[in-house]
């Protein structure tokens, strides 16, 4: 009986140990499941935060775009179209009613009217609400005027703003009644100093021209030429040549008449502008002298 009692006791003990192992295994599996549930919950909880950040970023971007657009609209409240007219260079202006002509040369913020560099100008970035490109001009007396320009290419029309009409326009945008000024680009204008120098060299290297006999090329350097701004505008180019020694020099004026150019030379600095030496007319294409006049006699 004792032998059987010991066996029964061993079986019960084994059952208890197995039960404990099973309970521990079940607990471990439960813990793993709980951890997975916690991880899933944390991921779910984190997702709305990320969406909120994305939505906030999207809203901020939309707000920034709206603000930027509003600023652009405010900046162009008088006209939302950019001004694209290229007014640089030389123009001949004529009053549509009175027919009075003048020469205008727009050059990087400096304006010469009838060959006098007395003004500065600024082209406004946007057209006004009437479609005009606005050009503000500061005159030599420090007063301001303006042009309202319309057109394209080489032909423009303008209205002028002065005194009361200037003040009224920049107060409420009123466009004045008045004479229309017609602007035509000057086809005879010089594009650059190099264009005039090229022609001078062509004329004086042509041995068929009498003037070619008076040039000592060993005393000539191309970079000794420079533009004289006062006296240069549109179809007229005034250049000064400095002697290679550095002492003295001379002036040469080029007046373009399309396919022909009138060249006037002033020998010596003191001779300009009252005492020209020689004037000759040349073909622009080949530099051939077709007419020459000695002005010293």
């Amino acid at each position: 009986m004792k032998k059987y009692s010991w066996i029964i006791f061993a079986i019960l003990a084994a059952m208890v140990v197995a039960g404990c192992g099973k309970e521990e295994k079940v607990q471990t599996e439960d813990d793993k499941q709980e951890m997975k549930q916690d991880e899933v919950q944390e991921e779910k909880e984190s997702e709305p935060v990320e969406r909120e950040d994305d939505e906030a970023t999207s809203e901020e971007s939309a707000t920034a775009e709206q603000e930027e657009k509003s600023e652009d609209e405010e900046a162009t409240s008088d006209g939302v179209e950019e001004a694209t007219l290229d007014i640089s260079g030389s123009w001949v202006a004529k009053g549509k009613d009175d027919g009075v002509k003048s020469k205008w040369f727009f050059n990087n913020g400096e304006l010469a009217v009838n060959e006098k560099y007395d003004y500065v100008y600024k082209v406004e970035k946007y057209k006004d609400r009437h479609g005009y490109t606005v050009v503000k001009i500061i005159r030599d007396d420090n007063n301001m005027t303006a042009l309202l320009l319309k057109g394209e290419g080489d032909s423009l029309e303008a209205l002028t703003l002065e005194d009361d009409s200037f003040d009224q326009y920049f107060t409420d945008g009123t466009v004045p009644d008045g004479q229309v000024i017609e602007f035509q680009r000057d086809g005879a204008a010089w594009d650059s100093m190099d264009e005039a120098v090229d022609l001078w060299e062509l004329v004086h290297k042509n041995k068929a021209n009498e003037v070619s006999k008076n040039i000592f090329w060993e005393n000539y350097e191309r970079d000794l030429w420079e533009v004289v701004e006062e006296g240069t505008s549109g179809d007229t180019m005034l250049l000064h040549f400095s002697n290679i020694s550095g002492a003295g020099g001379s002036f040469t004026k080029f007046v373009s008449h399309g396919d022909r150019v009138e060249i006037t030379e002033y020998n010596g600095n003191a001779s300009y502008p009252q005492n020209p030496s020689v004037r000759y007319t040349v073909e622009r294409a080949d530099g051939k002298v077709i007419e020459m006049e000695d002005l010293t006699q």
Side-chain angles (χ1 to χ4, degrees), residues 82-94:
E82 282 200 28
T84 57
L85 282 184
D86 178 14
I87 64 170
S88 61
S90 299
W91 300 80
V92 176
K94 182 179 74 171

Side-chain angles (χ1 to χ4, degrees), residues 9 20 25 41 45 55 82 86 99 136 179 182 192 196 203 212 217 250 261 278 284:
F9 177 80
C20 289
K25 183 176 180 180
Q41 183 63 30
E45 289 176 355
E55 290 173 1
E82 282 200 28
D86 178 14
K136 290 183 177 178
Q179 179 178 217
E182 299 174 328
S192 66
V203 169
S212 68
W217 291 104
S250 60
V261 177
V278 62
R284 195 164 186 167

Side-chain angles (χ1 to χ4, degrees), residues 266-290:
Y266 301 80
N267 290 331
N269 289 335
S271 65
Y272 178 81
Q274 300 299 329
N275 300 303
S277 305
V278 62
R279 179 178 295 123
Y280 44 97
T281 302
V282 305
E283 296 284 356
R284 195 164 186 167
D286 59 10
K288 180 182 178 181
V289 175
I290 58 177

Side-chain angles (χ1 to χ4, degrees), residues 11-119:
I11 292 171
L12 290 174
M15 291 176 62
V16 170
V17 171
C20 289
K22 185 177 180 181
E23 183 179 353
E24 183 178 353
K25 183 176 180 180
V26 171
Q27 185 176 359
T28 302
E29 293 295 329
D30 290 342
D31 290 343
K32 288 182 179 180
Q33 186 65 28
E34 185 176 354
M35 288 176 64
K36 287 183 180 179
Q37 291 176 351
D38 290 343
E39 288 174 359
V40 171
Q41 183 63 30
E42 286 176 1
E43 289 177 0
K44 288 182 178 180
E45 289 176 355
S46 64
E47 286 179 0
V49 174
E50 291 176 357
R51 289 197 195 98
E52 288 174 2
D53 289 344
D54 291 341
E55 290 173 1
T57 302
S58 178
E59 290 175 0
E60 288 174 3
S61 177
T63 302
E65 289 176 1
Q66 184 63 35
E67 289 176 356
E68 183 177 351
K69 183 176 180 181
S70 299
E71 288 174 3
D72 287 345
E73 289 176 350
E74 183 178 355
T76 62
S77 58
D78 286 343
V80 295
E81 186 179 355
E82 282 200 28
T84 57
L85 282 184
D86 178 14
I87 64 170
S88 61
S90 299
W91 300 80
V92 176
K94 182 179 74 171
K96 198 168 186 177
D97 297 332
D98 60 22
V100 174
K101 290 185 177 181
S102 56
K103 294 183 179 181
W104 296 58
F105 182 52
F106 295 91
N107 181 31
N108 294 324
E110 292 186 351
L111 168 63
V113 178
N114 293 332
E115 301 183 6
K116 294 182 179 180
Y117 279 79
D118 291 331
Y119 312 104

Side-chain angles (χ1 to χ4, degrees), residues 126-145:
Y126 296 98
K127 293 181 181 181
D128 73 0
R129 63 174 176 265
H130 306 288
Y132 286 104
T133 295
V134 183
V135 181
K136 290 183 177 178
I137 300 169
I138 302 177
R139 304 196 305 250
D140 51 355
D141 56 6
N142 288 326
N143 288 325
M144 292 190 69
T145 62

